[in-house]
Amino acid sequence: MTYCVAMRLSDGLVFASDSRTNAGVDHIATFKKLHVFSKEGERVLVIQSAGNLATTQSIVSLLNERIQGQHTPNLMQMGTMYDAATLVGETVREVIHRDSAAQQNSSTIFGCNMLLGGQIGNEVPRLFHIYPEGNFIEATNDTPYFQIGESKYGKPIIDRVLTVDTPLEHAMCCALISIDSTLRSNLSVGMPLDVMIYRANTYDASEQRRITENDPYFTGIRKAWSEGLVNTFRQLPPFPAQG
């Protein structure tokens, strides 16, 4: 399984992904699920993926190969983030159709979900959730984040804390606590984590980081969050006795 979260905020974008793949208890491996496509001074695009690993790897590889081969169209030629989301959606459909058609009698599920966020030219940063069918929706001020994969455990903290005006560093803290909540409740989501902050209008993809189990910041906030929850719970009034 997978857990990825992306946030579209007033000051830019925040991305966080786990790296575990799970095809049974004896087939657990680590694969990066956060992929960056950039051109200095012009564009930064980030893709996160969840679903069939072969499908998602094929999609990312095709997108990369078409950039390197100057194939038309490719992500470096798209004029808007909407156009980029359309191209990624078309590539999703292409790969799923190809692979599923080749194995019509197979019970394999070839689907995947992808998050695409970034900035092209003078546009504001934008964020899209792309579905297996290739269609997509866009994040808004009312709903400034998307999750894919095992999302239910990490959703409550985001819903309580995040607004479109949340500072990027605070939003990253929220994303990491969201992932920690998922790690504690679902063994199919695992370390290390790949994270990135993109600051609006910088066209700079350098704020990327891999967080391991022993990362001092992550260790500190997960401990503080856990202890804080316990202390808050102890301060709540007990359920009143009847009568």
Side-chain angles (χ1 to χ4, degrees), residues 42-43 45 75 78-81 84 118-123 203:
E42 180 187 294
R43 68 187 62 211
L45 298 92
L75 285 178
M78 298 297 100
T80 67
M81 285 298 300
Q119 184 175 22
I120 296 176
N122 293 324
E123 273 196 323
Y203 309 100

Side-chain angles (χ1 to χ4, degrees), residues 188-209:
S188 68
V189 176
M191 305 287 287
L193 311 178
D194 292 301
V195 303
M196 177 176 169
I197 291 176
Y198 172 72
R199 301 182 190 277
N201 304 316
T202 64
Y203 309 100
D204 180 6
S206 65
E207 287 193 64
Q208 300 180 53
R209 180 171 166 186

Side-chain angles (χ1 to χ4, degrees), residues 39-228:
K39 186 174 182 180
E40 186 176 356
E42 180 187 294
R43 68 187 62 211
V44 171
L45 298 92
V46 179
I47 291 177
Q48 295 166 283
S49 58
N52 184 290
L53 181 62
T55 300
T56 58
Q57 284 192 339
S58 289
I59 292 165
V60 173
S61 293
L62 265 181
L63 292 170
N64 268 312
E65 287 179 5
R66 287 170 177 173
I67 292 171
Q68 298 302 319
Q70 298 184 347
H71 181 278
T72 298
N74 69 62
L75 285 178
M76 294 298 107
Q77 298 171 340
M78 298 297 100
T80 67
M81 285 298 300
Y82 182 92
D83 293 338
T86 300
L87 179 61
V88 173
E90 291 171 353
T91 309
V92 168
R93 285 197 300 269
E94 176 185 349
V95 171
I96 291 177
H97 175 74
R98 180 198 68 194
D99 292 353
S100 59
Q103 301 186 50
Q104 292 183 2
N105 297 322
S106 171
S107 60
T108 301
I109 297 174
F110 293 94
C112 69
N113 283 266
M114 297 192 133
L115 302 180
L116 170 69
Q119 184 175 22
I120 296 176
N122 293 324
E123 273 196 323
V124 297
R126 300 171 74 178
L127 174 66
F128 299 87
H129 179 175
I130 301 168
Y131 295 100
E133 295 78 12
N135 58 334
F136 51 83
I137 59 174
E138 183 172 3
T140 66
N141 287 351
D142 293 326
T143 306
Y145 77 94
F146 289 134
Q147 303 164 286
I148 53 176
E150 190 53 82
S151 59
K152 58 183 177 291
Y153 302 106
K155 192 173 190 297
I157 173 60
I158 302 176
D159 286 339
R160 288 180 181 272
V161 169
L162 194 76
T163 72
V164 71
D165 294 318
T166 301
L168 295 176
E169 290 79 5
H170 290 184
M172 179 58 78
C173 179
C174 177
L176 291 175
I177 292 298
S178 175
I179 289 182
D180 179 57
S181 300
T182 308
L183 291 170
R184 287 177 178 271
S185 300
N186 192 310
L187 292 176
S188 68
V189 176
M191 305 287 287
L193 311 178
D194 292 301
V195 303
M196 177 176 169
I197 291 176
Y198 172 72
R199 301 182 190 277
N201 304 316
T202 64
Y203 309 100
D204 180 6
S206 65
E207 287 193 64
Q208 300 180 53
R209 180 171 166 186
R210 172 155 278 202
I211 295 177
T212 63
E213 197 76 48
N214 298 321
D215 183 272
Y217 175 74
F218 185 60
T219 301
I221 63 169
R222 71 193 309 192
K223 179 181 179 182
W225 177 252
S226 181
E227 292 175 351

